Short mmCIF file of all heavy atoms in Angstrom, two decimals:
data_model
loop_
_atom_site.label_atom_id
_atom_site.label_comp_id
_atom_site.label_asym_id
_atom_site.label_seq_id
_atom_site.Cartn_x
_atom_site.Cartn_y
_atom_site.Cartn_z
N SER Q 144 75.46 -2.31 -52.25
CA SER Q 144 76.26 -1.63 -53.27
C SER Q 144 77.52 -1.00 -52.72
O SER Q 144 78.61 -1.04 -53.34
CB SER Q 144 75.42 -0.50 -54.02
OG SER Q 144 74.33 -1.15 -54.71
N VAL Q 145 77.42 -0.48 -51.49
CA VAL Q 145 78.55 0.15 -50.86
C VAL Q 145 79.57 -1.06 -50.55
O VAL Q 145 80.74 -0.87 -50.82
CB VAL Q 145 78.16 0.82 -49.55
CG1 VAL Q 145 79.41 1.06 -48.64
CG2 VAL Q 145 77.35 2.13 -49.87
N ALA Q 146 79.15 -2.16 -50.08
CA ALA Q 146 80.00 -3.24 -49.86
C ALA Q 146 80.68 -3.75 -51.08
O ALA Q 146 81.87 -3.75 -51.15
CB ALA Q 146 79.15 -4.44 -49.22
N GLU Q 147 79.87 -4.02 -52.08
CA GLU Q 147 80.54 -4.52 -53.44
C GLU Q 147 81.47 -3.62 -54.03
O GLU Q 147 82.62 -3.97 -54.45
CB GLU Q 147 79.43 -4.97 -54.30
CG GLU Q 147 79.98 -5.64 -55.67
CD GLU Q 147 78.87 -6.19 -56.49
OE1 GLU Q 147 77.72 -6.01 -56.21
OE2 GLU Q 147 79.23 -6.71 -57.52
N ASN Q 148 81.09 -2.25 -53.99
CA ASN Q 148 81.86 -1.23 -54.70
C ASN Q 148 83.09 -0.79 -53.88
O ASN Q 148 84.10 -0.26 -54.40
CB ASN Q 148 81.13 -0.04 -55.04
CG ASN Q 148 80.18 -0.28 -56.26
OD1 ASN Q 148 80.73 -0.47 -57.35
ND2 ASN Q 148 78.95 -0.31 -56.05
N THR Q 149 83.11 -1.14 -52.64
CA THR Q 149 84.37 -0.97 -51.85
C THR Q 149 85.51 -1.81 -52.40
O THR Q 149 86.60 -1.38 -52.57
CB THR Q 149 84.10 -1.25 -50.29
OG1 THR Q 149 83.13 -0.44 -49.86
CG2 THR Q 149 85.44 -1.09 -49.55
N SER Q 150 85.09 -2.97 -52.79
CA SER Q 150 86.02 -3.93 -53.54
C SER Q 150 86.42 -3.44 -54.93
O SER Q 150 87.50 -3.35 -55.29
CB SER Q 150 85.50 -5.37 -53.54
OG SER Q 150 86.45 -6.20 -54.14
N ASP Q 151 85.29 -3.22 -55.61
CA ASP Q 151 85.48 -2.85 -57.07
C ASP Q 151 86.13 -1.53 -57.37
O ASP Q 151 86.91 -1.35 -58.26
CB ASP Q 151 84.15 -2.88 -57.87
CG ASP Q 151 83.64 -4.31 -58.00
OD1 ASP Q 151 84.49 -5.29 -57.82
OD2 ASP Q 151 82.44 -4.51 -58.28
N ALA Q 152 85.77 -0.48 -56.52
CA ALA Q 152 86.21 0.82 -56.75
C ALA Q 152 87.35 1.26 -55.92
O ALA Q 152 87.82 2.36 -56.13
CB ALA Q 152 84.95 1.83 -56.47
N VAL Q 153 87.78 0.52 -54.95
CA VAL Q 153 88.83 0.94 -54.07
C VAL Q 153 90.00 -0.17 -53.90
O VAL Q 153 91.03 -0.13 -54.42
CB VAL Q 153 88.44 1.49 -52.80
CG1 VAL Q 153 89.59 2.00 -51.90
CG2 VAL Q 153 87.39 2.60 -52.96
N VAL Q 154 89.57 -1.25 -53.22
CA VAL Q 154 90.51 -2.23 -52.78
C VAL Q 154 91.11 -3.01 -53.92
O VAL Q 154 92.30 -3.27 -54.06
CB VAL Q 154 89.90 -3.17 -51.75
CG1 VAL Q 154 90.94 -4.16 -51.31
CG2 VAL Q 154 89.36 -2.38 -50.57
N GLY Q 155 90.26 -3.39 -54.87
CA GLY Q 155 90.77 -4.12 -56.02
C GLY Q 155 91.72 -3.40 -56.85
O GLY Q 155 92.78 -3.93 -57.21
N ALA Q 156 91.47 -2.07 -57.11
CA ALA Q 156 92.47 -1.35 -57.81
C ALA Q 156 93.83 -1.14 -57.07
O ALA Q 156 94.85 -1.34 -57.70
CB ALA Q 156 91.91 0.17 -58.03
N LEU Q 157 93.74 -0.89 -55.78
CA LEU Q 157 95.06 -0.81 -55.03
C LEU Q 157 95.79 -2.14 -55.03
O LEU Q 157 96.97 -2.13 -55.09
CB LEU Q 157 94.67 -0.40 -53.59
CG LEU Q 157 94.14 1.00 -53.34
CD1 LEU Q 157 93.77 1.26 -51.90
CD2 LEU Q 157 95.22 2.06 -53.74
N THR Q 158 95.04 -3.21 -54.97
CA THR Q 158 95.73 -4.52 -54.93
C THR Q 158 96.47 -4.70 -56.26
O THR Q 158 97.65 -5.12 -56.25
CB THR Q 158 94.68 -5.65 -54.76
OG1 THR Q 158 93.95 -5.48 -53.55
CG2 THR Q 158 95.30 -7.05 -54.88
N TRP Q 159 95.82 -4.40 -57.38
CA TRP Q 159 96.54 -4.68 -58.64
C TRP Q 159 97.58 -3.58 -58.90
O TRP Q 159 98.62 -3.78 -59.61
CB TRP Q 159 95.52 -4.63 -59.84
CG TRP Q 159 94.94 -6.02 -59.94
CD1 TRP Q 159 93.67 -6.41 -59.48
CD2 TRP Q 159 95.56 -7.19 -60.35
NE1 TRP Q 159 93.50 -7.71 -59.67
CE2 TRP Q 159 94.66 -8.29 -60.27
CE3 TRP Q 159 96.81 -7.40 -61.00
CZ2 TRP Q 159 94.86 -9.56 -60.68
CZ3 TRP Q 159 97.04 -8.80 -61.34
CH2 TRP Q 159 96.10 -9.83 -61.23
N GLY Q 160 97.41 -2.39 -58.27
CA GLY Q 160 98.42 -1.38 -58.37
C GLY Q 160 99.64 -1.80 -57.61
O GLY Q 160 100.82 -1.52 -58.13
N ALA Q 161 99.47 -2.38 -56.53
CA ALA Q 161 100.66 -2.94 -55.75
C ALA Q 161 101.34 -4.08 -56.57
O ALA Q 161 102.61 -4.16 -56.48
CB ALA Q 161 100.14 -3.49 -54.41
N VAL Q 162 100.64 -4.86 -57.32
CA VAL Q 162 101.21 -5.89 -58.03
C VAL Q 162 101.90 -5.42 -59.26
O VAL Q 162 103.05 -5.87 -59.64
CB VAL Q 162 100.14 -6.95 -58.44
CG1 VAL Q 162 100.72 -7.97 -59.40
CG2 VAL Q 162 99.64 -7.66 -57.20
N ALA Q 163 101.29 -4.48 -60.01
CA ALA Q 163 101.76 -4.16 -61.40
C ALA Q 163 101.89 -2.62 -61.63
O ALA Q 163 101.96 -2.28 -62.79
CB ALA Q 163 100.92 -4.81 -62.47
N GLY Q 164 101.83 -1.85 -60.58
CA GLY Q 164 101.91 -0.40 -60.77
C GLY Q 164 100.81 0.22 -61.63
O GLY Q 164 99.59 -0.18 -61.58
N VAL Q 165 101.07 1.26 -62.41
CA VAL Q 165 100.13 1.94 -63.14
C VAL Q 165 99.40 1.01 -64.12
O VAL Q 165 98.14 1.08 -64.22
CB VAL Q 165 100.75 3.16 -63.88
CG1 VAL Q 165 99.77 3.73 -64.88
CG2 VAL Q 165 101.21 4.16 -62.94
N PRO Q 166 100.03 0.11 -64.84
CA PRO Q 166 99.31 -0.85 -65.65
C PRO Q 166 98.35 -1.64 -64.92
O PRO Q 166 97.23 -2.02 -65.42
CB PRO Q 166 100.36 -1.66 -66.33
CG PRO Q 166 101.63 -0.86 -66.36
CD PRO Q 166 101.49 -0.05 -65.02
N GLY Q 167 98.64 -2.03 -63.71
CA GLY Q 167 97.75 -2.77 -62.84
C GLY Q 167 96.49 -2.05 -62.43
O GLY Q 167 95.43 -2.50 -62.48
N LEU Q 168 96.71 -0.72 -62.07
CA LEU Q 168 95.64 0.16 -61.79
C LEU Q 168 94.75 0.33 -62.89
O LEU Q 168 93.48 0.13 -62.78
CB LEU Q 168 96.17 1.51 -61.28
CG LEU Q 168 96.89 1.62 -59.97
CD1 LEU Q 168 97.73 2.89 -59.86
CD2 LEU Q 168 95.91 1.54 -58.79
N VAL Q 169 95.26 0.63 -64.08
CA VAL Q 169 94.43 0.94 -65.30
C VAL Q 169 93.80 -0.37 -65.78
O VAL Q 169 92.56 -0.31 -66.15
CB VAL Q 169 95.25 1.53 -66.32
CG1 VAL Q 169 94.54 1.66 -67.67
CG2 VAL Q 169 95.83 2.92 -65.91
N GLY Q 170 94.56 -1.52 -65.73
CA GLY Q 170 93.94 -2.72 -66.26
C GLY Q 170 92.76 -3.19 -65.44
O GLY Q 170 91.75 -3.67 -65.98
N PHE Q 171 92.89 -3.03 -64.08
CA PHE Q 171 91.79 -3.50 -63.22
C PHE Q 171 90.49 -2.71 -63.58
O PHE Q 171 89.43 -3.25 -63.73
CB PHE Q 171 92.15 -3.40 -61.78
CG PHE Q 171 90.97 -3.73 -60.88
CD1 PHE Q 171 90.74 -4.99 -60.53
CD2 PHE Q 171 90.26 -2.77 -60.28
CE1 PHE Q 171 89.66 -5.42 -59.80
CE2 PHE Q 171 89.05 -3.02 -59.49
CZ PHE Q 171 88.82 -4.39 -59.22
N ARG Q 172 90.65 -1.36 -63.63
CA ARG Q 172 89.52 -0.55 -63.85
C ARG Q 172 88.93 -0.76 -65.28
O ARG Q 172 87.73 -0.86 -65.39
CB ARG Q 172 89.88 0.95 -63.76
CG ARG Q 172 88.77 1.90 -64.07
CD ARG Q 172 87.45 1.70 -63.31
NE ARG Q 172 87.68 1.77 -61.92
CZ ARG Q 172 87.04 0.96 -61.04
NH1 ARG Q 172 86.26 0.04 -61.46
NH2 ARG Q 172 87.25 1.14 -59.77
N ALA Q 173 89.83 -1.04 -66.23
CA ALA Q 173 89.28 -1.38 -67.58
C ALA Q 173 88.49 -2.64 -67.55
O ALA Q 173 87.41 -2.69 -68.17
CB ALA Q 173 90.46 -1.57 -68.57
#
Side-chain angles (χ1 to χ4, degrees):
S144 295
V145 167
E147 184 173 2
N148 283 294
T149 300
S150 176
D151 289 344
V153 182
V154 181
L157 290 174
T158 300
W159 281 102
V162 172
V165 170
L168 290 164
V169 171
F171 177 80
R172 175 53 60 217

